[in-house]
Short mmCIF file of all heavy atoms in Angstrom, two decimals:
data_model
loop_
_atom_site.label_atom_id
_atom_site.label_comp_id
_atom_site.label_asym_id
_atom_site.label_seq_id
_atom_site.Cartn_x
_atom_site.Cartn_y
_atom_site.Cartn_z
N ILE C 233 -1.06 24.53 12.53
CA ILE C 233 -2.03 24.48 13.63
C ILE C 233 -3.10 25.56 13.47
O ILE C 233 -4.24 25.39 13.92
CB ILE C 233 -1.33 24.60 15.01
CG1 ILE C 233 -2.31 24.46 16.18
CG2 ILE C 233 -0.58 25.91 15.14
CD1 ILE C 233 -3.01 23.14 16.28
N GLU C 234 -2.78 26.65 12.81
CA GLU C 234 -3.77 27.72 12.63
C GLU C 234 -4.90 27.28 11.70
O GLU C 234 -5.96 27.90 11.68
CB GLU C 234 -3.09 28.99 12.11
CG GLU C 234 -2.69 29.96 13.20
CD GLU C 234 -1.89 29.36 14.34
OE1 GLU C 234 -0.69 29.12 14.19
OE2 GLU C 234 -2.49 29.08 15.39
N ALA C 235 -4.67 26.22 10.91
CA ALA C 235 -5.75 25.63 10.11
C ALA C 235 -6.31 24.41 10.83
O ALA C 235 -7.10 23.67 10.25
CB ALA C 235 -5.24 25.24 8.73
N GLY C 236 -5.89 24.18 12.07
CA GLY C 236 -6.34 23.02 12.82
C GLY C 236 -5.52 21.77 12.54
O GLY C 236 -5.85 20.70 13.05
N GLY C 237 -4.49 21.89 11.71
CA GLY C 237 -3.71 20.72 11.30
C GLY C 237 -3.05 20.01 12.48
O GLY C 237 -2.64 20.64 13.44
N MET C 238 -3.00 18.67 12.37
CA MET C 238 -2.29 17.90 13.38
C MET C 238 -0.79 18.17 13.23
O MET C 238 -0.09 18.39 14.20
CB MET C 238 -2.57 16.42 13.20
CG MET C 238 -1.87 15.54 14.21
SD MET C 238 -2.08 13.79 13.86
CE MET C 238 -3.81 13.53 14.10
N ASN C 239 -0.34 18.13 11.97
CA ASN C 239 1.07 18.40 11.71
C ASN C 239 1.21 19.05 10.34
O ASN C 239 0.35 18.93 9.49
CB ASN C 239 1.91 17.11 11.75
CG ASN C 239 1.52 16.12 10.67
OD1 ASN C 239 0.35 15.86 10.44
ND2 ASN C 239 2.51 15.55 9.98
N GLY C 240 2.31 19.78 10.19
CA GLY C 240 2.70 20.30 8.88
C GLY C 240 3.97 19.55 8.53
O GLY C 240 4.74 19.19 9.43
N ILE C 241 4.20 19.28 7.26
CA ILE C 241 5.40 18.50 6.95
C ILE C 241 5.96 18.84 5.58
O ILE C 241 5.21 19.10 4.63
CB ILE C 241 5.12 16.98 7.10
CG1 ILE C 241 6.43 16.19 7.15
CG2 ILE C 241 4.18 16.46 6.03
CD1 ILE C 241 6.32 14.82 7.79
N ILE C 242 7.29 18.87 5.53
CA ILE C 242 8.01 19.07 4.27
C ILE C 242 9.08 17.99 4.22
O ILE C 242 9.87 17.85 5.16
CB ILE C 242 8.68 20.46 4.23
CG1 ILE C 242 7.61 21.57 4.36
CG2 ILE C 242 9.50 20.64 2.94
CD1 ILE C 242 8.18 22.96 4.60
N ALA C 243 9.10 17.20 3.16
CA ALA C 243 10.08 16.12 3.06
C ALA C 243 11.50 16.71 3.13
O ALA C 243 11.76 17.80 2.64
CB ALA C 243 9.89 15.36 1.75
N ALA C 244 12.40 15.96 3.76
CA ALA C 244 13.79 16.43 3.87
C ALA C 244 14.48 16.35 2.52
O ALA C 244 14.24 15.43 1.73
CB ALA C 244 14.53 15.56 4.90
N ASP C 245 15.31 17.35 2.24
CA ASP C 245 16.12 17.35 1.01
C ASP C 245 17.56 17.73 1.38
O ASP C 245 17.92 17.69 2.56
CB ASP C 245 15.51 18.29 -0.04
CG ASP C 245 15.56 19.75 0.41
OD1 ASP C 245 16.00 20.03 1.55
OD2 ASP C 245 15.16 20.62 -0.39
N SER C 246 18.34 18.13 0.38
CA SER C 246 19.75 18.42 0.66
C SER C 246 19.90 19.64 1.59
O SER C 246 20.82 19.71 2.39
CB SER C 246 20.51 18.64 -0.65
OG SER C 246 19.90 19.70 -1.36
N ILE C 247 18.96 20.59 1.50
CA ILE C 247 19.02 21.77 2.38
C ILE C 247 18.77 21.34 3.83
O ILE C 247 19.47 21.77 4.76
CB ILE C 247 17.99 22.84 1.92
CG1 ILE C 247 18.41 23.41 0.57
CG2 ILE C 247 17.83 23.94 2.97
CD1 ILE C 247 17.43 24.40 -0.06
N THR C 248 17.80 20.44 4.02
CA THR C 248 17.51 19.91 5.37
C THR C 248 18.74 19.17 5.90
O THR C 248 19.16 19.38 7.05
CB THR C 248 16.35 18.89 5.32
OG1 THR C 248 15.38 19.34 4.38
CG2 THR C 248 15.72 18.69 6.67
N GLU C 249 19.28 18.30 5.06
CA GLU C 249 20.42 17.49 5.53
C GLU C 249 21.61 18.35 5.90
O GLU C 249 22.29 18.10 6.90
CB GLU C 249 20.81 16.47 4.46
CG GLU C 249 19.80 15.34 4.33
CD GLU C 249 20.41 14.12 3.68
OE1 GLU C 249 21.10 13.35 4.40
OE2 GLU C 249 20.23 13.95 2.46
N ALA C 250 21.87 19.38 5.10
CA ALA C 250 23.00 20.27 5.40
C ALA C 250 22.78 20.95 6.74
O ALA C 250 23.70 21.06 7.57
CB ALA C 250 23.16 21.31 4.29
N TYR C 251 21.54 21.39 7.00
CA TYR C 251 21.23 22.06 8.27
C TYR C 251 21.41 21.08 9.43
O TYR C 251 22.10 21.37 10.42
CB TYR C 251 19.79 22.61 8.25
CG TYR C 251 19.42 23.42 9.47
CD1 TYR C 251 19.33 24.81 9.41
CD2 TYR C 251 19.15 22.80 10.70
CE1 TYR C 251 18.99 25.55 10.54
CE2 TYR C 251 18.83 23.54 11.83
CZ TYR C 251 18.75 24.90 11.74
OH TYR C 251 18.42 25.63 12.86
N VAL C 252 20.80 19.89 9.30
CA VAL C 252 20.84 18.91 10.40
C VAL C 252 22.28 18.51 10.71
O VAL C 252 22.70 18.46 11.87
CB VAL C 252 19.98 17.67 10.05
CG1 VAL C 252 20.20 16.55 11.05
CG2 VAL C 252 18.50 18.06 9.99
N LYS C 253 23.06 18.25 9.65
CA LYS C 253 24.44 17.80 9.87
C LYS C 253 25.31 18.88 10.49
O LYS C 253 26.32 18.59 11.12
CB LYS C 253 25.05 17.32 8.54
CG LYS C 253 24.52 15.93 8.16
CD LYS C 253 25.11 15.43 6.87
CE LYS C 253 24.63 14.01 6.61
NZ LYS C 253 24.63 13.69 5.17
N SER C 254 24.91 20.15 10.31
CA SER C 254 25.68 21.22 10.95
C SER C 254 25.38 21.31 12.44
O SER C 254 26.06 22.02 13.18
CB SER C 254 25.38 22.56 10.27
OG SER C 254 24.09 23.03 10.65
N LYS C 255 24.32 20.61 12.89
CA LYS C 255 23.92 20.70 14.30
C LYS C 255 24.20 19.43 15.09
O LYS C 255 24.34 19.48 16.31
CB LYS C 255 22.41 20.99 14.41
CG LYS C 255 21.93 22.21 13.64
CD LYS C 255 22.47 23.48 14.22
CE LYS C 255 21.95 24.68 13.44
NZ LYS C 255 22.59 25.94 13.87
N THR C 256 24.16 18.27 14.42
CA THR C 256 24.24 17.01 15.16
C THR C 256 24.78 15.90 14.27
O THR C 256 24.69 15.98 13.04
CB THR C 256 22.84 16.60 15.70
OG1 THR C 256 22.98 15.37 16.43
CG2 THR C 256 21.83 16.41 14.59
N SER C 257 25.31 14.87 14.92
CA SER C 257 25.75 13.70 14.15
C SER C 257 24.82 12.52 14.38
O SER C 257 25.11 11.39 14.01
CB SER C 257 27.19 13.33 14.55
OG SER C 257 27.24 13.13 15.95
N LYS C 258 23.66 12.80 15.03
CA LYS C 258 22.70 11.71 15.29
C LYS C 258 22.15 11.17 13.98
O LYS C 258 21.99 11.90 13.00
CB LYS C 258 21.54 12.23 16.14
CG LYS C 258 21.89 12.48 17.59
CD LYS C 258 20.66 12.98 18.35
CE LYS C 258 21.09 13.92 19.48
NZ LYS C 258 20.10 14.95 19.76
N PRO C 259 21.81 9.86 13.95
CA PRO C 259 21.28 9.28 12.72
C PRO C 259 19.83 9.71 12.48
O PRO C 259 19.13 10.11 13.40
CB PRO C 259 21.33 7.77 13.00
CG PRO C 259 21.28 7.65 14.49
CD PRO C 259 21.94 8.88 15.04
N TYR C 260 19.42 9.62 11.23
CA TYR C 260 18.03 9.95 10.88
C TYR C 260 17.66 9.18 9.63
O TYR C 260 18.52 8.60 8.97
CB TYR C 260 17.87 11.46 10.66
CG TYR C 260 18.80 12.04 9.64
CD1 TYR C 260 18.50 12.00 8.28
CD2 TYR C 260 20.01 12.63 10.03
CE1 TYR C 260 19.37 12.51 7.34
CE2 TYR C 260 20.88 13.15 9.09
CZ TYR C 260 20.56 13.10 7.76
OH TYR C 260 21.42 13.61 6.83
N GLU C 261 16.37 9.18 9.31
CA GLU C 261 15.90 8.45 8.14
C GLU C 261 14.97 9.35 7.33
O GLU C 261 14.04 9.94 7.89
CB GLU C 261 15.16 7.19 8.59
CG GLU C 261 14.83 6.25 7.46
CD GLU C 261 14.19 4.92 7.91
OE1 GLU C 261 14.10 4.68 9.14
OE2 GLU C 261 13.77 4.16 7.04
N ILE C 262 15.23 9.43 6.04
CA ILE C 262 14.42 10.32 5.19
C ILE C 262 13.28 9.53 4.54
O ILE C 262 13.50 8.49 3.94
CB ILE C 262 15.30 11.00 4.13
CG1 ILE C 262 16.26 11.98 4.84
CG2 ILE C 262 14.45 11.73 3.09
CD1 ILE C 262 17.18 12.73 3.94
N PHE C 263 12.07 10.04 4.69
CA PHE C 263 10.89 9.43 4.07
C PHE C 263 10.31 10.39 3.03
O PHE C 263 10.40 11.61 3.18
CB PHE C 263 9.82 9.13 5.13
CG PHE C 263 10.21 8.07 6.12
CD1 PHE C 263 10.75 8.41 7.36
CD2 PHE C 263 10.03 6.73 5.81
CE1 PHE C 263 11.12 7.43 8.27
CE2 PHE C 263 10.39 5.74 6.73
CZ PHE C 263 10.93 6.10 7.96
N GLN C 264 9.70 9.80 2.00
CA GLN C 264 9.01 10.59 0.97
C GLN C 264 7.62 9.99 0.79
O GLN C 264 7.43 8.79 0.95
CB GLN C 264 9.71 10.46 -0.40
CG GLN C 264 11.19 10.71 -0.42
CD GLN C 264 11.54 12.18 -0.49
OE1 GLN C 264 10.66 13.02 -0.71
NE2 GLN C 264 12.81 12.51 -0.30
N SER C 265 6.67 10.80 0.39
CA SER C 265 5.34 10.28 0.05
C SER C 265 5.45 9.46 -1.23
O SER C 265 6.17 9.84 -2.16
CB SER C 265 4.36 11.43 -0.17
OG SER C 265 4.09 12.06 1.05
N ASP C 266 4.71 8.33 -1.25
CA ASP C 266 4.67 7.53 -2.48
C ASP C 266 3.83 8.27 -3.53
O ASP C 266 2.87 8.96 -3.18
CB ASP C 266 4.03 6.17 -2.19
CG ASP C 266 4.90 5.32 -1.29
OD1 ASP C 266 6.14 5.37 -1.44
OD2 ASP C 266 4.34 4.62 -0.41
N PRO C 267 4.17 8.06 -4.82
CA PRO C 267 3.42 8.77 -5.87
C PRO C 267 1.92 8.47 -5.83
O PRO C 267 1.11 9.33 -6.13
CB PRO C 267 4.03 8.24 -7.17
CG PRO C 267 5.35 7.64 -6.79
CD PRO C 267 5.26 7.24 -5.35
N GLY C 268 1.55 7.26 -5.42
CA GLY C 268 0.13 6.89 -5.42
C GLY C 268 -0.55 7.05 -4.06
O GLY C 268 -1.66 6.55 -3.87
N ALA C 269 0.12 7.74 -3.13
CA ALA C 269 -0.46 7.90 -1.79
C ALA C 269 -1.78 8.66 -1.88
O ALA C 269 -1.96 9.51 -2.75
CB ALA C 269 0.52 8.65 -0.89
N ARG C 270 -2.71 8.34 -0.95
CA ARG C 270 -4.04 8.98 -0.99
C ARG C 270 -4.03 10.29 -0.21
O ARG C 270 -3.47 10.38 0.89
CB ARG C 270 -5.09 8.04 -0.37
CG ARG C 270 -5.67 7.07 -1.38
CD ARG C 270 -6.84 6.29 -0.77
NE ARG C 270 -6.40 5.38 0.28
CZ ARG C 270 -6.83 5.43 1.53
NH1 ARG C 270 -7.71 6.34 1.91
NH2 ARG C 270 -6.39 4.56 2.43
N TYR C 271 -4.67 11.30 -0.78
CA TYR C 271 -4.79 12.61 -0.11
C TYR C 271 -6.25 12.96 0.07
O TYR C 271 -7.08 12.65 -0.78
CB TYR C 271 -4.08 13.70 -0.94
CG TYR C 271 -2.58 13.57 -0.86
CD1 TYR C 271 -1.88 12.75 -1.74
CD2 TYR C 271 -1.87 14.21 0.15
CE1 TYR C 271 -0.51 12.60 -1.64
CE2 TYR C 271 -0.50 14.06 0.26
CZ TYR C 271 0.18 13.25 -0.63
OH TYR C 271 1.54 13.10 -0.51
N HIS C 272 -6.53 13.65 1.16
CA HIS C 272 -7.88 14.18 1.38
C HIS C 272 -8.21 15.20 0.30
O HIS C 272 -9.31 15.25 -0.22
CB HIS C 272 -7.96 14.83 2.77
CG HIS C 272 -9.18 15.64 2.99
ND1 HIS C 272 -9.27 16.98 2.65
CD2 HIS C 272 -10.39 15.31 3.50
CE1 HIS C 272 -10.47 17.42 2.94
NE2 HIS C 272 -11.17 16.43 3.46
N SER C 273 -7.20 16.04 -0.02
CA SER C 273 -7.40 17.07 -1.04
C SER C 273 -6.03 17.62 -1.45
O SER C 273 -5.04 17.45 -0.73
CB SER C 273 -8.27 18.20 -0.49
OG SER C 273 -7.81 18.60 0.79
N LYS C 274 -6.01 18.26 -2.60
CA LYS C 274 -4.76 18.84 -3.10
C LYS C 274 -5.01 20.27 -3.56
O LYS C 274 -6.02 20.55 -4.21
CB LYS C 274 -4.23 18.02 -4.28
CG LYS C 274 -3.75 16.63 -3.89
CD LYS C 274 -3.20 15.88 -5.10
CE LYS C 274 -2.73 14.49 -4.68
NZ LYS C 274 -2.25 13.70 -5.81
N TYR C 275 -4.09 21.15 -3.20
CA TYR C 275 -4.17 22.55 -3.61
C TYR C 275 -2.88 22.90 -4.35
O TYR C 275 -1.80 22.45 -3.98
CB TYR C 275 -4.31 23.47 -2.39
CG TYR C 275 -5.63 23.31 -1.66
CD1 TYR C 275 -5.85 22.22 -0.81
CD2 TYR C 275 -6.66 24.23 -1.84
CE1 TYR C 275 -7.07 22.07 -0.16
CE2 TYR C 275 -7.87 24.09 -1.19
CZ TYR C 275 -8.07 23.01 -0.34
OH TYR C 275 -9.26 22.85 0.30
N ARG C 276 -3.01 23.72 -5.37
CA ARG C 276 -1.84 24.07 -6.16
C ARG C 276 -1.81 25.58 -6.39
O ARG C 276 -2.83 26.18 -6.72
CB ARG C 276 -1.93 23.33 -7.50
CG ARG C 276 -0.64 23.32 -8.24
CD ARG C 276 -0.48 22.14 -9.20
NE ARG C 276 0.95 21.95 -9.38
CZ ARG C 276 1.55 20.78 -9.40
NH1 ARG C 276 0.84 19.67 -9.24
NH2 ARG C 276 2.86 20.71 -9.56
N TYR C 277 -0.65 26.18 -6.19
CA TYR C 277 -0.51 27.63 -6.35
C TYR C 277 0.72 27.92 -7.21
O TYR C 277 1.70 27.18 -7.17
CB TYR C 277 -0.27 28.30 -4.99
CG TYR C 277 -1.36 28.11 -3.97
CD1 TYR C 277 -1.35 27.00 -3.11
CD2 TYR C 277 -2.40 29.03 -3.84
CE1 TYR C 277 -2.35 26.83 -2.16
CE2 TYR C 277 -3.40 28.86 -2.90
CZ TYR C 277 -3.37 27.75 -2.06
OH TYR C 277 -4.35 27.58 -1.12
N ASN C 278 0.66 29.02 -7.96
CA ASN C 278 1.85 29.54 -8.62
C ASN C 278 2.27 30.79 -7.85
O ASN C 278 1.52 31.76 -7.78
CB ASN C 278 1.52 29.89 -10.08
CG ASN C 278 2.77 30.36 -10.82
OD1 ASN C 278 3.70 30.91 -10.21
ND2 ASN C 278 2.80 30.14 -12.11
N VAL C 279 3.45 30.74 -7.24
CA VAL C 279 3.86 31.84 -6.37
C VAL C 279 3.96 33.18 -7.11
O VAL C 279 3.85 34.24 -6.50
CB VAL C 279 5.19 31.55 -5.62
CG1 VAL C 279 4.98 30.42 -4.61
CG2 VAL C 279 6.31 31.20 -6.58
N ARG C 280 4.16 33.10 -8.42
CA ARG C 280 4.25 34.34 -9.22
C ARG C 280 2.91 35.08 -9.26
O ARG C 280 2.85 36.25 -9.57
CB ARG C 280 4.71 34.00 -10.64
CG ARG C 280 6.19 33.68 -10.72
CD ARG C 280 7.01 34.96 -10.77
NE ARG C 280 8.38 34.73 -10.37
CZ ARG C 280 9.25 35.71 -10.13
NH1 ARG C 280 8.89 36.97 -10.25
NH2 ARG C 280 10.49 35.44 -9.78
N GLU C 281 1.84 34.33 -8.97
CA GLU C 281 0.51 34.95 -9.01
C GLU C 281 0.05 35.41 -7.62
O GLU C 281 -1.03 35.98 -7.48
CB GLU C 281 -0.52 33.95 -9.57
CG GLU C 281 -0.30 33.63 -11.03
CD GLU C 281 -1.04 32.38 -11.50
OE1 GLU C 281 -1.82 31.81 -10.70
OE2 GLU C 281 -0.81 31.99 -12.65
N LEU C 282 0.86 35.14 -6.60
CA LEU C 282 0.45 35.51 -5.23
C LEU C 282 1.02 36.88 -4.86
O LEU C 282 2.00 37.35 -5.43
CB LEU C 282 0.94 34.45 -4.23
CG LEU C 282 0.41 33.03 -4.46
CD1 LEU C 282 1.02 32.08 -3.44
CD2 LEU C 282 -1.11 33.01 -4.39
N GLU C 283 0.36 37.47 -3.86
CA GLU C 283 0.76 38.81 -3.41
C GLU C 283 1.00 38.79 -1.91
O GLU C 283 0.47 37.93 -1.21
CB GLU C 283 -0.41 39.79 -3.63
CG GLU C 283 -0.70 40.14 -5.04
CD GLU C 283 -1.68 41.31 -5.07
OE1 GLU C 283 -1.38 42.36 -4.46
OE2 GLU C 283 -2.74 41.15 -5.68
N PRO C 284 1.72 39.79 -1.39
CA PRO C 284 1.82 39.92 0.07
C PRO C 284 0.42 40.09 0.67
O PRO C 284 -0.39 40.86 0.16
CB PRO C 284 2.65 41.20 0.26
CG PRO C 284 3.45 41.31 -1.00
CD PRO C 284 2.54 40.80 -2.09
N VAL C 285 0.17 39.34 1.76
CA VAL C 285 -1.15 39.38 2.39
C VAL C 285 -1.01 39.57 3.90
O VAL C 285 0.07 39.39 4.46
CB VAL C 285 -1.96 38.08 2.13
CG1 VAL C 285 -2.41 38.00 0.69
CG2 VAL C 285 -1.15 36.83 2.49
#
Side-chain angles (χ1 to χ4, degrees):
Chain C
I233 183 63
E234 266 51 78
M238 180 186 294
N239 64 314
I241 195 159
I242 300 169
D245 66 356
S246 58
I247 292 176
T248 323
E249 287 201 82
Y251 185 105
V252 170
K253 284 181 176 153
S254 74
K255 306 293 181 187
T256 180
S257 55
K258 287 180 211 149
Y260 55 84
E261 189 175 354
I262 292 180
F263 294 96
Q264 309 278 350
S265 291
D266 292 323
R270 273 188 292 122
Y271 287 87
H272 168 273
S273 48
K274 291 181 180 177
Y275 292 78
R276 195 154 204 137
Y277 300 88
N278 183 332
V279 292
R280 285 279 159 191
E281 292 164 6
L282 300 178
E283 289 191 55
V285 289

